[in-house]
Amino acid sequence: MLSKFRSNYTLGALLSFALLTQSCSSTASNDPYFGRVLPPEGQVLHYITGSEPQSLDPQAMVGQPETRIAVALFDGLVEYDEKTIAPVPSLATHWDVNANGTVWTFHLRPSAKWTDGKLLTACDFVYSWRRGLSPELAANNASMLYYVKNGEPFNSMSAYVRDPSTGRFATTDDLERAGESGPVNFSGTEPMNFNRNGLNCDTQGSQAASLQSEATPQHPQENSSSTTEAKYLFVPSDEAARAKLLNGDPAKNKPGQPKLARFIEGKQFVSVTKENVGVRALDAYTFEVTLEAPTAFFVKMLTHQFFRSVPRQAIEKYGDTLWTKPGHIVTSGAFKLAEWIPYDGVAVERNTSFWDNVNTKLDRIIFLTVEEATTMMNLYKAGEADAIGTNYVPAPWRNQLKETKRDYIYGPYVTIEFLAIKTTMPPLNDLRVRRALSMAINRQILADRSPGQLPLTGFTPPMEGYEGVKGTDFNPQEARRLLAEAGFPNGRGFPKIEILYNTLESNKQLYEIVQQMLKTNLNIPVELTNQEFRVYLDNTRNDRLNFKGLARRGWVGDYLDPNTFFELMTSGSTNNGTGWSDPKYDRMLMEANAAVDPSVRAAKLREVESYMIAQQPVIPLFVKAIAVMRKPYVKNFESNLLDQHNWRGVYINHNWRAD
Amino acid sequence: MSQQPPSEIEKIPTRNPNESLDKAPTLAPPSTVAAQQKINTPEAIAADQLYGTAPPSNELWQETAGGQLEGTSLWRDAWRRLKKNKFAMLGLIVTGIIIVASLLGPTLLRIATKGTHTYDFIPQQGELVRAMPPSLNHPMGTDPQGRDMLARVLYGGQISLMVGLVSTFVSLLIGVAYGATAGYLGGRVDNLMMRIVDVLFAIPYMMLVIVLLALFEKSLVLLFAALGAISWLTMARIVRGQVLSLKNQEFVEAARSIGVPTWKIILRHLVPNTLGPVIVYATLTVPSVMLQEAFLSYLGLGVQAPRSSWGTLAAEGAQNIAIFPWLIIFPGIVMALTLFSLNFVGDGLRDALDPQMRKV
Amino acid sequence: MLRFIIRRLLVILPMVLLVITIAYALIKLAPGNFYATERGLPEAVERNIRQKYGLDKSWYVQYGKTMWNIMRGDFGFSRKYQDQTVNEILWQAAPVSATLGLTAYLLALTLGLTFGTLAALRQNSALDYGSMAAAMLGISLPNFVLGPLLVLVFALTLFWLPPARWEWWVKIGSGGIPNPRFLLMPAVTLAALYTAYIARLTRSGMLEVLRKDYIRTARAKGLSERQVVIRHALRGGILPVVSFTGPALAFIVAGTVVVERVFAIPGLGNYFINAALNRDAPLLLGITAFVAILVLVFNLLVDIAYAFIDPRIRY
């Protein structure tokens, strides 16, 4: 009931009139900065990060506001470079990759410690990555670790199939060979147990003791056999789930698999365990990761907070949810938790035991949690906040701020805005219609609404080392021709379609313009439908696609590689909102990612992108821009591609006028 | 309302709470004699018609058909008093102008500007797609999409006025009937009815709307259902409170003692005496419903973009108050004007319908 | 009277459970779930999550378990704010909302009753028109406009007050004495509307009462105007205000979304809207229970108050 706006509305005309002159002058004044410039005393930064953190557990959090806090609290194998966002060595001083890009070995910094004084070792990473994948934690982001060997089978609670008579394991090849010819002998050997050749990280308290012992550091080359390991057959280890797979699931309209049922009849099922996951500690400071397939961009993902190590000692003591409480939490980053007042802010302070403490400049960061964009702007304007995270500056303000204020900074952002087309719905299943829709949109107008935005016809924002392809662009004549060809001359007979978007002022403004473009250029009826976020998510799921025509989508890259966008359109992705899936596309992407040579890979990725764009399951609109407010005295704080920050380098320059 | 012949009505003692020994000259003493003596003054007629306690004058009786008699004379008389109330008339005129402007304005504007000033026209030239301050071409400025604010404000009046007035009227009907029934019957019935109200108060309204939207096709009926689901609750409580206090007063007891049916007591003796707070609260409901509509738009129920309502315009305007103040000022002024006018009308109506008012 | 109060108190628990049940049904019927994100979830991950939170069980098992825990006072962990239990959130946020709400309501009550009464006593005077116009302004000015307007003047132009946030001056438990610098603007914003409601309801109630005989009698007996108004008139005249206060106070104490968001106040209103938007069932049920208790208790108090105001009222 709180949600009722129990108030009424209209306006105090007199008051506002009095303010009209005042407010105009305050924003359009000649002041080069937006609001007051009052440097804080000492090295303290007040940063508005967005809404209240979901959790401080880097493996449980999903939203962007809390990831910035996690980056301050938890050290990673690699850390963001403030400007380029590229991975720079942090906990890992250096790393090696084997020839085919499947085994990565990270050499950890021996001086790294947890805030409770414990040494941070390779075992902490083994523990953390296994935890990230464990079905019990049920991490939302678990699929980010599916690149790791056996990550997916472990997370999805799968089992190997073992022949009790021979002791051998079934492979996918065996299943294929079985065909009509009846039973075959399984060819798989005992699956890899990554605990066997590495440090045993499971024994309680063994870490410190074993630091020097068993120190026969293995070299990756010696046990890279795992890459040639057979492709095992996996089935659900849970009996009910297995029955559903074999006999079909009428509820989800899935047919049974009698062939598989016959194949595994009478066999044993050996659950995939955490030891089967491709991570191990070769010694206390050598962490080895074996991947499922060659993955060239793997290290680029590792800046993400999901790959950062979590403190086993605290989690085991306080449990999966309570360990993040102030007083319980143990961290490894340049900052440690000082205070957490829900819905007000999270304060972190300098961690003096951090290995790079001498180069950390700030003593304290206060991450303010605020929901309303205008409130953030008010706090900033009044000088109560020193910087605001991206995307909170209201879109209509941006052009004006750009022209008049120097503390508004903007730049490219690895985020694209596009419309997903429900390709299963006539007439949108007609490629000509999809292309006509795309050609009816003047992307330049959309992009120009905010400084730094770029029109987009392909599916990737500009990224270093990769140049995206171009798709169909604004061309109203051609659009009308295509539409006529598809049977709708001048839009006649075209069924009513809708643009579905999640409720947000900026979405509304944007799609009102798009709607007008489609109406004006194609003369077709388009409705706008807004839904509250959770409903919208539910309706755009691939297994539901509960909307008529187009759905708004935005995608923030998780890491700086085109794959973060292309993955979205693979058959396995549950949420691209188009109903489009193409096995050829999946295969092409897999092959491209396996290429080790960057230029070869880039060329292959371009083929992937143009293949997809040519079929136009989506209408790309524009690349978004970073829009950040930052007081002039905040230094070494850049508008980078992901709006993630390496907090260690940020500082307050009290002498900023001298610069 | 009453089908009873005058002679029977005559016997019913009055309703009048100010029945007393006090002989205030302007107030009709309750006795039948007094009522008959004062029969020719319009106030007395209206008062007595309202309470159904005094015989109508013969002239009026002849003018109208039996069943319509009281309603007609009551309203006609109220209208006469209303006409004397300058503020109420001003409010009525302004409300009328705003309604007419909302209904005809958008069309006229579209014709006059060849379609460039409508609630949804967005220029296809990039440099025009931005918020522009008021000018000769756009007297209320434009919104960030470059649309004419005048057209949007006028168009917005259609839905807001409809929603505001209809929902308020419905909530008034439900709230008054429910509250009066509960209050008068009292005891278990009252307890049960009021606990239902409490439950409706306490269930999370937002979830209710989300579920309603999921279960039913989005429509105007659903919008009214969502608005109506709660707006009558406070009204019901206020009316019940008044009735609890009134029902033990002499005039009600008197009516009861001579066997006037319960529904008639509620309708003709109790409800009229609660009109003061009811009309005041009803005029307060209008703006709150208009605002509620903006909130429902957020959930996907109210008006859908690119259509506008005053509620959504103000919500958008409030966000840009510091940088594009005209986005809030003009919808605000129009809405404030409407509410002021409605309020004067409400006050005037109350005075006109209230027989006890000394000054009209 | 005592029996009446006891009867009404006894009914609170079942009523709250009923409200919780309805809220539970609503959240189950609503489309969407708490865990979805724009990143599509692989089937396995979704299954793990559903298993972890018991969503794979049949609805009556889930409902039974939820209600059993609630009856023991345990609402469990919030789904959205995973590190916090619902009880913790209530404990932290309720004092903030309650402090703000009570301050605003007291302010509204004081101003509303004063101006409403004065307007009624001097009907059709300049004072009457002035205060009623001001009340209309308060009603016409929604708090999402008034709030930013106040901020614009006092925080961004004059720099007298902070534009947002909340601070306890003296902290006692999870509540305490608020810092008036942070309290002032949100309280005034919140109070504006209620002041207007109360002023208008008081005026109309008073107008009615002032005409009644017992007031005339009182005046005739030679009582001073002050005594007449305060002892006699106000009693009857505020009946509508009292009726209005029951639900209004329940909601204002439980926190109001708009004001809390505009001023970034860590109150319950914010949590409530986010619980609903994020399908955070435990948190939603927790706050709903809190609101239900407030509504039931305040309406009971109102019913008791009726009897004191008007001794003729019997239950």
Side-chain angles (χ1 to χ4, degrees), chain B residues 45-256:
Chain B
I45 295 170
D48 295 332
Q49 301 304 344
L50 186 61
Y51 294 99
T53 53
S57 75
N58 285 334
E59 303 145 52
L60 287 170
W61 180 259
Q62 283 157 2
E63 273 174 35
T64 51
Q68 294 297 307
L69 172 81
E70 288 191 359
T72 313
S73 56
L74 166 71
W75 288 105
R76 176 189 292 180
D77 204 66
W79 172 237
R80 268 174 28 156
R81 292 195 212 198
L82 198 62
K83 270 198 289 194
K84 281 198 244 162
N85 185 331
K86 272 181 247 143
F87 281 108
M89 285 323 285
L90 187 69
L92 212 56
I93 290 166
V94 174
T95 312
I97 291 173
I98 291 173
I99 290 175
V100 170
S102 299
L103 290 177
L104 302 181
T107 317
L108 295 178
L109 202 58
R110 196 185 64 222
I111 295 167
T113 59
K114 299 191 176 66
T116 61
H117 289 45
T118 69
Y119 70 88
D120 67 342
F121 179 79
I122 296 173
Q124 295 293 304
Q125 298 91 324
E127 68 276 8
L128 292 179
V129 184
R130 62 186 182 85
M132 285 175 283
S135 63
L136 230 55
N137 187 19
H138 297 289
M140 292 187 181
T142 67
D143 73 356
Q145 286 89 285
R147 292 175 297 199
D148 182 52
M149 278 301 284
L150 176 61
R152 286 182 68 71
V153 169
L154 288 175
Y155 185 86
Q158 293 182 0
I159 187 94
S160 287
L161 285 169
M162 181 176 68
V163 159
L165 297 177
V166 174
S167 300
T168 302
F169 187 66
V170 172
S171 87
L172 196 125
L173 287 184
I174 302 176
V176 170
Y178 195 94
T181 309
Y184 182 70
L185 297 179
R188 275 165 199 270
V189 180
D190 171 49
N191 198 6
L192 179 72
M193 286 176 85
M194 282 302 117
R195 293 301 77 70
I196 292 174
V197 168
D198 285 351
V199 168
L200 288 175
F201 265 126
I203 58 174
Y205 178 63
M206 198 163 171
M207 290 311 303
L208 181 71
V209 174
I210 291 170
V211 170
L212 280 179
L213 259 174
L215 296 181
F216 302 102
E217 196 70 9
K218 184 168 63 195
S219 67
L220 209 57
V221 176
L222 191 63
L223 174 63
F224 281 119
L227 289 171
I230 46 150
S231 54
W232 61 274
L233 299 177
T234 305
M235 180 75 88
R237 282 205 66 91
I238 289 178
V239 173
R240 169 184 172 266
Q242 299 305 104
V243 169
L244 278 180
S245 158
L246 289 167
K247 74 172 179 186
N248 295 315
Q249 292 188 15
E250 297 82 348
F251 71 101
V252 179
E253 264 159 33
R256 205 165 20 212

Side-chain angles (χ1 to χ4, degrees), chain A residues 171-245:
Chain A
T171 66
T172 49
D173 286 346
D174 296 338
L175 177 62
E176 237 157 73
R177 275 194 296 125
E180 314 308 318
S181 61
V184 290
N185 283 329
F186 289 176
S187 62
T189 54
E190 181 89 1
M192 186 78 173
N193 178 334
F194 287 87
N195 245 11
R196 206 166 294 157
N197 297 322
L199 213 57
N200 185 1
C201 292
D202 291 332
T203 336
Q204 271 289 1
S206 68
Q207 292 178 41
S210 62
L211 285 185
Q212 276 81 35
S213 69
E214 314 172 36
T216 41
Q218 317 262 333
H219 291 288
Q221 293 86 327
E222 291 174 18
N223 43 38
S224 57
S225 61
S226 50
T227 52
T228 53
E229 203 182 25
K231 283 229 173 298
Y232 290 104
L233 177 71
F234 291 109
V235 294
S237 64
D238 176 61
E239 211 174 317
R242 199 159 59 230
K244 254 186 193 165
L245 174 75

Side-chain angles (χ1 to χ4, degrees), chain B residues 91 95 165 283 286 290 337-347:
Chain B
T95 312
L165 297 177
T283 53
V286 176
M290 286 183 182
L337 207 59
T338 313
L339 297 179
F340 267 88
S341 312
L342 281 176
N343 197 56
F344 285 137
V345 177
D347 275 2

Side-chain angles (χ1 to χ4, degrees), chain A residues 461-474:
Chain A
M463 272 185 269
E464 211 182 314
Y466 181 77
E467 199 195 330
V469 300
K470 298 243 176 301
T472 49
D473 204 350
F474 184 50

